[in-house]
Amino acid sequence: MEKIVIIGNGISGITAARHIRKLSNKSITIISAETDYFFSRTAIMYVYMGHMKFEHTQPYENWFWKKNRIDLVKGYVSNIHHKEKKVLLDNNKEIAYDKLIIATGSKPNKFGWPGQDLDGVQGLYSKQDLDALEKHAPNKDICKRAVIVGGGLIGIEMAEMLRSRNIPVTFLVREDSFWNGVLPNGESQMLNEHIREHHIDLKLKTNLAEIRSDENGRAKAVVTDSGETIACDVVGLTAGVSPNINFLKESGIELGRGVKVNRYLETNIKDIYAIGDCAEQHESIGNRRPIEAVWYTGRMMGETIAQTVCGNKIEYKPGHWFNSAKFLDIEYQTYGWVFSERGMKEYEGHFHWRHSSEKLCITVAYHKETKQFLGINTFGIRMRHQLFDKWLTEEKNIDQVMESLKDANFDPEFYAQYEQEILSKYNSDFSKTIKPKKKSLKHIFA
Amino acid sequence: MSTYDRSMALTGQPPVSLSKNQKLATLLGLGGLAIFLLAAFNLSFPNKGLWLTLSLASISIGTLWFAWDAYSNKKPGIKNDGVWFKSLVNRGFWGWILGIVLTSFYIILYFYPQYLGLVSGGENKGVIGLFDPLSRILSGNPASQWFVYGVLYTVAILAFGIKFLWKYRHNRYEKIRTLSVMFFQTSFAFLIPEFMARLNGDKLNLPYYDLKNMWPLNYYNFERYRVNALIDGGNIGMAMLLFGVVSIFVISPILTYKYGKRWYCSWVCGCGGLAETIGDPFRQLSNKSVKAWKFERWIVHSVVVFVTLTTTAVIYSYLGNDTSKYWLTKTTFLIGVAAILTLVFSWVMLFKRKQLQKDAQYGAIGFFIVVVGLIGLHFFSGDGDIFFIKAGTLRKNYSFLIGSVFSGVIGTGFYPILGNRVWCRFGCPMAAILGFQQKLFSKFRITTNGGQCISCGNCSTYCEMGIDVRAYAQKGENIVRSSCVGCGICAAVCPRGVLKLENGPLEGRINPTEVLLGNDVDLMEILNKK
């Protein structure tokens, strides 16, 4: 029986294991140093906030693994001997494999800041990070202030977490507006406002210079590049993540920032594959980045690699880009590509609408010459993935999308509808006279 | 986390103690309840009307004050902060205390109403006596333990309904749905039957009838005394009797086809109304394990069989044999019941078998054989008690075991232990029948939004019916489950906009997928079209 070993029990590794089991009878072993069982990393914020208990973040009951003959090993892989086809654990135990899948995910970035390894300084990625935050910031008396460094998706989640326990938060963001390397200005501005209305002390255009230590080696203050000193008990480092591959340095596997893989997710060494956050494509796929640290791309790579490992070799071919996030109370979804002013293609045009009082807005990207619909960002209005995926494949033009926008609405029943208002703004911005099409269940479910 | 353990807060903020306002509000509410307690120990209140008003007002104002303090200074949005840190709602110390208090209340209410002050044929005392003035205003009669319960029930749904409206003020589905249960409780369940009692006199003696409470939830609806009273009740009575039959056999299937069972369970039903308002803080306590789901399927369908047998036996017992007196005789009735059951069973087995789990199929076959077998046996064994037990005994057992212990003592008393929908999930035969229709013959589903699910588990955690919503969402599969009451909370708490309750075409409603949207189409085809 062929022996498959997977390093990492995150979404990528687990998806691979589940699909290999569906397709075959191979022996499957998953090694993780983080937790005994798979949990949903995206949900750790809700554990700290008290929305869920940690066990609720585990999508499968504990009996699931045994029943599906997936062996779980708790241990830290210190090296791989690919010539002997063996994985070495740090307790000197060895595990032999026929095929090896590396799915070790990411670790929070640290950019060599003075004090970055002090007690009370942490990222927010792993179960251990969650435990550390519970220890250092259990309430507002023990943690009188927290400083978060890095204005991205994790940063704002961490701010929300701490605010749920009424801990004052200072949020240092390098850019002149929150996440505006990714989001167009209008959206980024709206989020600045929303962050501040949640009483988060947002400091834009501010970098971390140094973290000061108290006599016990614990963080006690942050110094910014403008020379300001902010007393704090916890420092959150949330300036992105990078592949967690240090243990592979001696392995002979080709590394860049991540584990280098081709479109079949194969590394330079036969029978060793890499998937998920830790994999780095030799060449970007479309507009995607070579390393994609996104939940669903990890899942898709897991689905793909399972096919390859089980004899049906196929390329990793992600479809149209999509993603989602939640900024405090504002839900965000994106389908296709909408770039910020900084990353915008020269052919890319934008239509932007924002509600006069509510925190709702959308941005639609289109091709200036062909008028082809390129993508949409939507804040506070849920939209239907299937439909946008279809429209992107069919290369609809922006007018067609705007007139059928009602079909794409995915908000709960009885919610106020804004398509009429959006369309009027579109018509007046572009001097058009487009009329909305009636909502059609046929189009939606076709 | 133990630092939070004794917090009584119901509203989602992890500070260790309640705010000053919340403490005062709690005190006020408990003060209202204390008046009842004093009355229960037969402290005589001089002006009953005044003290009752005072008590109900302090309970309501206390609740509203608490909710106002908890939500008014917050942005609209999900308010689940700290839920699992609070001992009242995480099965902690206060949760158990509350569970014991509620359970005891129900035991007294159902089995020892004399301790509440019920005096048959004399002046009521105690708590029930306190409610006499209100009862006389409404129906003209003295109060009973059921009147007391009805008032408290309605006050609970109204006060905690307003709290719920605040909590979910960003969500119009939740707001409209809650206004609906508040309306149906106040009018149909409480005021209309009270006013109807005023119509009764020498000529008319209509039974207490909550029109929205249909058989089999209202298991006693077709009992002899009620049917007689309705038949004697002239046009109104006959209309009500007819409505009772039509509502289960015509109205409910049509509405369930169009909207799913939510039209009843989370928009109209009184049990649902209580669960969705005062029960809302406990929704996360439902058990999500596969085992619990299996247990649920067996037990709830057993109750359906039990109630069908009981009702059949009861109706059978008072029908005659002579066709010349009345068209519906013992024989025609039994044949009718057997025919309906056979029809439903054959239809399911022929056309819908694939949509049932394996054990559900076995269960259906088993139950069908038992019921039809019993009816057949009865025919061949001559006249006697149907199902070998006296109808009265069967009825008494059902009323005790299911009507009182299951729906009341366990169903509501165990809110803080097993979650707010224990009865609806494990015991309610009405929910089972509507669920059966919802699963096999309805346009309702919870649509999953492509590949957006991040498996966080908020949906599963806050599903009061114990459905593992995430298990479907993370596979990109629509949720079509007979137990889903359509409360919409899964969609509300989803941080990624993945879930939407909707009524759409039957085709493609159940869509098991191997791979979610997002991958290149080839891979999806390889896996999905296998």
Side-chain angles (χ1 to χ4, degrees), chain A residues 269-333:
Chain A
I269 290 164
K270 194 172 174 293
D271 291 333
I272 299 185
Y273 309 85
I275 56 174
D277 286 17
C278 69
E280 179 180 3
Q281 288 286 330
H282 288 294
E283 276 161 49
S284 314
I285 304 171
N287 281 328
R288 289 170 183 266
R289 294 174 187 175
I291 299 174
E292 284 188 306
V294 179
W295 179 261
Y296 77 86
T297 53
R299 192 194 69 222
M300 288 178 350
M301 287 188 227
E303 290 161 353
T304 309
I305 199 67
Q307 292 287 325
T308 301
V309 164
C310 295
N312 174 31
K313 185 168 171 176
I314 55 174
E315 277 187 18
Y316 170 56
K317 281 204 277 184
H320 299 293
W321 169 255
F322 68 95
N323 205 0
S324 62
K326 193 173 181 188
F327 304 100
L328 302 159
D329 295 319
I330 304 177
E331 284 174 25
Y332 155 69
Q333 295 180 334

Side-chain angles (χ1 to χ4, degrees), chain A residues 40 42 49-52 56 61 138 164-165 303 307 317 319 324 333 335 382-385 411 413-414, chain B residues 4 14 81-82 84-85 172 262 290 449 451 454-456 462 470 491 496 500-502 518-520 527:
Chain A
S40 186
T42 49
M49 288 165 75
H51 295 208
M52 294 196 272
H56 297 126
E61 289 182 62
S164 79
R165 298 195 185 182
E303 290 161 353
Q307 292 287 325
K317 281 204 277 184
S324 62
Q333 295 180 334
Y335 302 104
R382 294 174 174 181
M383 304 246 183
R384 222 177 264 272
H385 186 182
D411 271 338
E413 294 149 301
F414 304 115
Chain B
Y4 306 110
D81 285 352
W84 285 98
F85 304 147
R172 275 187 85 192
R262 56 182 170 153
V290 173
N449 201 6
I454 53 166
S455 300
C456 72
Y462 287 91
R470 165 174 58 190
R496 294 291 189 273
K500 178 173 166 66
L501 283 66
E502 58 188 352
N519 254 314
D520 172 75
L527 290 168

Side-chain angles (χ1 to χ4, degrees), chain A residues 158-445:
Chain A
M158 199 165 178
E160 183 180 359
M161 290 162 74
L162 292 158
R163 289 301 301 141
S164 79
R165 298 195 185 182
N166 288 332
I167 294 168
V169 172
T170 300
F171 193 10
L172 308 187
V173 173
R174 182 183 57 181
E175 292 78 20
D176 56 8
S177 180
F178 176 76
W179 217 35
N180 70 354
V182 176
L183 298 178
N185 271 335
E187 300 170 348
S188 173
Q189 291 298 340
M190 185 176 86
L191 292 179
N192 291 342
E193 294 164 29
H194 188 57
I195 291 167
R196 288 187 168 129
E197 73 186 357
H198 271 267
H199 311 292
I200 293 164
D201 174 26
L202 176 65
K203 290 190 189 296
L204 298 169
K205 283 195 281 188
T206 307
N207 285 298
L208 171 66
E210 154 182 22
I211 305 167
R212 294 247 168 93
S213 167
D214 69 5
E215 58 278 14
N216 302 318
R218 221 194 124 155
K220 68 163 189 189
V222 150
V223 183
T224 70
D225 57 354
S226 61
E228 188 184 2
T229 304
I230 305 163
C232 63
D233 300 291
V234 165
V235 180
L237 300 180
T238 59
V241 293
S242 44
N244 177 24
I245 53 166
N246 278 348
F247 71 104
L248 294 174
K249 287 218 166 101
E250 314 289 312
S251 68
I253 299 170
E254 186 189 351
L255 305 176
R257 278 188 61 221
V259 181
K260 288 282 194 181
V261 293
N262 62 18
R263 286 292 293 270
Y264 297 98
L265 304 169
E266 296 166 322
T267 65
N268 60 324
I269 290 164
K270 194 172 174 293
D271 291 333
I272 299 185
Y273 309 85
I275 56 174
D277 286 17
C278 69
E280 179 180 3
Q281 288 286 330
H282 288 294
E283 276 161 49
S284 314
I285 304 171
N287 281 328
R288 289 170 183 266
R289 294 174 187 175
I291 299 174
E292 284 188 306
V294 179
W295 179 261
Y296 77 86
T297 53
R299 192 194 69 222
M300 288 178 350
M301 287 188 227
E303 290 161 353
T304 309
I305 199 67
Q307 292 287 325
T308 301
V309 164
C310 295
N312 174 31
K313 185 168 171 176
I314 55 174
E315 277 187 18
Y316 170 56
K317 281 204 277 184
H320 299 293
W321 169 255
F322 68 95
N323 205 0
S324 62
K326 193 173 181 188
F327 304 100
L328 302 159
D329 295 319
I330 304 177
E331 284 174 25
Y332 155 69
Q333 295 180 334
T334 182
Y335 302 104
W337 290 107
V338 182
F339 290 101
S340 70
E341 282 75 3
R342 280 204 267 156
M344 222 157 152
K345 314 277 172 196
E346 68 213 63
Y347 56 77
E348 185 178 340
H350 281 180
F351 161 69
H352 182 70
W353 167 87
R354 182 175 167 183
H355 191 270
S356 51
S357 55
E358 307 278 324
K359 292 279 187 297
L360 306 166
C361 74
I362 67 165
T363 304
V364 183
Y366 62 96
H367 195 292
K368 280 182 191 155
E369 269 97 61
T370 64
K371 306 297 171 204
Q372 188 188 330
F373 167 71
L374 299 174
I376 184 167
N377 278 355
T378 162
F379 289 79
I381 303 176
R382 294 174 174 181
M383 304 246 183
R384 222 177 264 272
H385 186 182
Q386 274 95 345
L387 214 53
F388 276 112
D389 197 73
K390 199 172 114 197
W391 287 346
L392 287 163
T393 303
E394 291 169 354
E395 304 190 347
K396 295 270 188 210
N397 67 47
I398 182 170
D399 289 357
Q400 290 169 312
V401 168
M402 295 308 294
E403 68 189 6
S404 301
L405 212 51
K406 268 190 184 139
D407 286 350
N409 188 299
F410 200 72
D411 271 338
E413 294 149 301
F414 304 115
Y415 265 45
Q417 312 268 304
Y418 302 98
E419 287 82 15
Q420 192 67 51
E421 212 185 306
I422 293 170
L423 196 60
S424 319
K425 169 103 176 359
Y426 178 71
N427 279 336
S428 89
D429 279 12
F430 295 91
S431 320
K432 295 201 177 191
T433 50
I434 291 172
K435 296 216 164 50
K437 281 195 176 163
K438 265 188 85 178
K439 185 172 177 168
S440 155
L441 282 178
K442 239 199 218 147
H443 290 147
I444 297 172
F445 292 106

Side-chain angles (χ1 to χ4, degrees), chain B residues 113-126:
Chain B
Q114 64 272 26
Y115 294 132
L116 293 174
L118 186 70
V119 179
S120 43
E123 185 90 348
N124 282 326
K125 294 188 299 196

Side-chain angles (χ1 to χ4, degrees), chain B residues 170-241:
Chain B
H170 62 293
N171 190 316
R172 275 187 85 192
Y173 179 78
E174 296 304 333
K175 285 196 289 189
I176 295 174
R177 185 174 69 71
T178 303
L179 287 171
S180 170
V181 291
M182 288 162 73
F183 164 77
F184 277 103
Q185 175 60 31
T186 319
S187 57
F188 278 66
F190 183 61
L191 290 177
I192 293 176
E194 291 296 332
F195 292 146
M196 261 166 38
R198 284 200 170 262
L199 297 175
N200 288 344
D202 299 337
K203 287 185 202 146
L204 201 62
N205 191 22
L206 293 173
Y208 191 94
Y209 197 169
D210 172 0
L211 282 167
K212 67 174 173 52
N213 196 5
M214 60 179 95
W215 184 90
L217 179 55
N218 183 356
Y219 58 92
Y220 45 81
N221 209 20
F222 299 114
E223 284 178 11
R224 181 174 213 163
Y225 75 96
R226 284 177 72 91
V227 173
N228 281 344
L230 290 171
I231 290 174
D232 294 342
N235 286 339
I236 303 181
M238 278 310 283
M240 282 161 67
L241 182 61

Side-chain angles (χ1 to χ4, degrees), chain B residues 63-257:
Chain B
T63 310
L64 298 185
W65 186 3
F66 193 107
W68 174 80
D69 186 70
Y71 303 129
S72 65
N73 59 350
K74 296 227 175 71
K75 300 263 135 208
I78 294 304
K79 298 278 168 280
N80 286 334
D81 285 352
V83 164
W84 285 98
F85 304 147
K86 288 166 191 152
S87 113
L88 189 63
V89 296
N90 73 0
R91 239 178 257 129
F93 177 78
W94 287 111
W96 280 98
I97 296 286
L98 182 65
I100 292 166
V101 169
L102 280 174
T103 311
S104 325
F105 168 72
Y106 274 93
I107 291 173
I108 293 171
L109 176 74
Y110 279 106
F111 307 118
Y112 306 101
Q114 64 272 26
Y115 294 132
L116 293 174
L118 186 70
V119 179
S120 43
E123 185 90 348
N124 282 326
K125 294 188 299 196
V127 181
I128 298 179
L130 198 64
F131 280 74
D132 271 342
L134 181 60
S135 183
R136 286 189 200 281
I137 292 173
L138 293 172
S139 67
N141 303 320
S144 66
Q145 78 270 39
W146 301 121
F147 180 79
V148 172
Y149 185 47
V151 173
L152 294 179
Y153 203 104
T154 308
V155 167
I157 288 186
L158 291 178
F160 283 85
I162 294 172
K163 171 174 177 281
F164 189 94
L165 289 172
W166 253 321
K167 181 174 172 187
Y168 290 98
R169 65 182 184 273
H170 62 293
N171 190 316
R172 275 187 85 192
Y173 179 78
E174 296 304 333
K175 285 196 289 189
I176 295 174
R177 185 174 69 71
T178 303
L179 287 171
S180 170
V181 291
M182 288 162 73
F183 164 77
F184 277 103
Q185 175 60 31
T186 319
S187 57
F188 278 66
F190 183 61
L191 290 177
I192 293 176
E194 291 296 332
F195 292 146
M196 261 166 38
R198 284 200 170 262
L199 297 175
N200 288 344
D202 299 337
K203 287 185 202 146
L204 201 62
N205 191 22
L206 293 173
Y208 191 94
Y209 197 169
D210 172 0
L211 282 167
K212 67 174 173 52
N213 196 5
M214 60 179 95
W215 184 90
L217 179 55
N218 183 356
Y219 58 92
Y220 45 81
N221 209 20
F222 299 114
E223 284 178 11
R224 181 174 213 163
Y225 75 96
R226 284 177 72 91
V227 173
N228 281 344
L230 290 171
I231 290 174
D232 294 342
N235 286 339
I236 303 181
M238 278 310 283
M240 282 161 67
L241 182 61
L242 205 65
F243 184 76
V245 178
V246 168
S247 54
I248 183 66
F249 288 109
V250 182
I251 298 176
S252 114
I254 292 174
L255 289 176
T256 307
Y257 171 71

